[in-house]
Amino acid sequence: MIKFYYHPSPNPAKVALFLEEAGLEYEVVPVDTRKGEQHEPAFLAINPNAKTPALTDGDAVLFDSTAILMYLARKTGKFGFEGTAPTDAEALSWLMFVATGIGPYSGQAVHFKHFAPEPKDYAVNRYLFEAERHWKLIDTKLSEGQYMAGDRYSIVDMSVWGWARAVPFILGEDAWNTLPNLKRFMDEINARPAAAAVNALAKRFTFKQDMDDQARDSLFPQNRRLAAG
Ligand SMILES: N[C@@H](CCC(=O)N[C@@H](CS)C(=O)NCC(=O)O)C(=O)O
């Protein structure tokens, strides 16, 4: 049976949506990253990068949400794009744009905006600027069709959905007013039973919420070097 290493944050959410949409059976293994469980040896044996999500399927061991989505699409024959048709090429580009643009830049925007110590104006401006630019590109793409790959619901949409749920936290509470096509897309996906199941999944577990010393040390271990002087 598939084992899904999960935390209720954007990258695992993409995978949770796939698992629910595809109706796959899976066992959830919660990884409480604010308690440092991502650094435990048993988890590092599955994901040496110490981040969620990860997934095992028999002997197959996967980490990185985009790799997992591509694997599951191949395994099930659902929600993927395998060929070299122009639409498949375009979908692949957008999938990687989410993996290498939306995720890392929005993640850093959140880090500097909400968690980094002062002075941070330069970093906040850089990452927020890029995150806003990236989300505008997604919004424009979604003005051209129902989904990221035209009229086909795919892993690109699941990838966008995982991160877009955090748009107000990333860009600000009024962000939906500036991204109407993304808002339309989110309303549509949020209405799907699979999205409701992902929301229910988060409620099955009690993950640490406090951003206290343990959480900061677990999520931002680089700060130990600053403290050491
Ligand atoms: N490229 C990776 C990034 C994974 C990632 O950053 N995961 C976050 C949650 S969205 C995490 O586990 N953070 C805990 C940490 O950084 O210690 C992916 O797409 O899976």
Side-chain angles (χ1 to χ4, degrees):
M1 154 125 54
I2 288 174
K3 276 193 180 178
F4 173 40
Y5 294 81
Y6 166 78
H7 183 268
S9 43
N11 289 308
K14 305 170 184 175
V15 174
L17 186 59
F18 187 105
L19 292 166
E20 290 296 333
E21 291 284 15
L24 288 169
E25 269 189 54
Y26 61 99
E27 176 191 336
V28 181
V29 183
V31 180
D32 200 332
T33 54
R34 291 194 180 191
K35 289 184 180 163
E37 291 175 1
Q38 70 274 44
H39 302 295
E40 287 175 5
F43 184 68
L44 291 175
I46 292 158
N47 183 1
N49 192 33
K51 297 194 191 294
T52 56
L55 181 142
T56 59
D57 181 21
D59 291 338
V61 179
L62 293 116
F63 62 89
D64 200 287
S65 56
T66 308
I68 297 170
L69 288 174
M70 292 178 82
Y71 170 87
L72 291 174
R74 284 177 190 166
K75 175 187 165 82
T76 59
K78 292 179 177 170
F79 308 117
F81 38 86
E82 289 289 327
T84 54
T87 47
D88 287 24
E90 193 186 17
L92 187 56
S93 299
W94 284 107
L95 182 69
M96 290 305 153
F97 172 74
V98 177
T100 64
I102 288 283
Y105 281 86
S106 286
Q108 293 304 314
V110 163
H111 176 78
F112 285 107
K113 199 172 154 184
H114 295 291
F115 302 117
E118 300 286 353
K120 59 181 186 178
D121 285 357
Y122 180 92
V124 170
N125 184 54
R126 171 174 165 77
Y127 286 105
L128 209 47
F129 181 89
E130 282 297 282
E132 283 166 5
R133 193 179 67 76
H134 288 157
W135 283 109
K136 276 279 178 204
L137 294 178
I138 295 278
D139 191 67
T140 302
K141 177 67 188 148
L142 287 170
S143 73
E144 294 163 7
Q146 187 179 8
Y147 297 117
M148 291 298 294
D151 58 2
R152 196 167 34 143
Y153 179 47
S154 77
I155 55 175
V156 189
D157 303 299
M158 297 173 192
S159 224
V160 169
W161 180 83
W163 272 100
R165 300 198 309 162
V167 149
F169 194 53
I170 302 163
L171 302 180
E173 288 305 322
D174 63 342
W176 289 129
N177 297 330
T178 64
L179 301 165
N181 302 292
L182 179 62
K183 174 77 170 69
R184 184 267 307 155
F185 166 92
M186 288 304 285
D187 288 347
E188 198 177 305
I189 306 225
N190 284 332
R192 297 176 70 91
V198 176
N199 292 334
L201 173 62
K203 295 195 180 91
R204 267 175 51 200
F205 304 96
T206 307
F207 287 95
K208 180 169 175 167
Q209 300 295 323
D210 292 349
M211 189 52 97
D212 59 9
D213 285 349
Q214 182 195 39
R216 273 188 292 273
D217 191 52
S218 302
L219 295 171
F220 319 133
Q222 71 276 6
N223 291 342
R224 284 179 218 156
R225 289 211 301 222
L226 292 176

